């Protein structure tokens, strides 16, 4: 994503950005979910997640990940 850490890293190593074409097939929604970590509605969840012990996030991660889509 434009402006992310990954973008800066790749740009530093000489890669030039080019647009990617994505297609979304929506079965029961009007628009795709905004799962961008820069989305303000996720800020609190991200802060809490960062403070959890690694053993908790390792155990809880797979259960949470399946509901992100």
């Amino acid at each position: 994503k434009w402006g992310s850490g990954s973008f800066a890293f790749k740009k530093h190593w000489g890669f030039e950005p080019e647009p990617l074409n994505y297609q979304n097939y929506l079965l029961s929604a009007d628009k795709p979910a905004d799962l961008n970590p820069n989305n303000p509605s996720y800020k609190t969840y991200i802060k809490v997640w960062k403070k959890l012990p690694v053993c908790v996030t390792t155990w809880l991660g797979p259960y949470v990940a399946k509901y992100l889509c």
Side-chain angles (χ1 to χ4, degrees), residues 24-46:
N24 295 310
Y25 296 101
L26 304 174
L27 300 176
S28 61
D30 295 333
K31 61 180 183 173
D34 185 14
L35 297 178
N36 183 351
N38 296 327
N39 183 348
S41 64
Y42 290 120
K43 293 290 183 197
T44 304
Y45 297 115
I46 292 171

Side-chain angles (χ1 to χ4, degrees), residues 16-63:
E16 292 299 323
E18 64 179 64
L20 300 175
N21 297 315
Y22 292 102
Q23 293 183 359
N24 295 310
Y25 296 101
L26 304 174
L27 300 176
S28 61
D30 295 333
K31 61 180 183 173
D34 185 14
L35 297 178
N36 183 351
N38 296 327
N39 183 348
S41 64
Y42 290 120
K43 293 290 183 197
T44 304
Y45 297 115
I46 292 171
K47 282 183 183 178
V48 170
W49 189 263
K50 286 181 177 181
K51 296 201 183 284
L52 291 174
V54 174
C55 62
V56 174
T57 59
T58 303
W59 175 77
L60 193 58
Y63 298 106

Side-chain angles (χ1 to χ4, degrees), residues 4-21:
S4 68
S6 297
F7 179 85
F9 175 80
K10 292 173 185 177
K11 183 79 171 160
H12 172 74
W13 287 101
F15 290 91
E16 292 299 323
E18 64 179 64
L20 300 175
N21 297 315

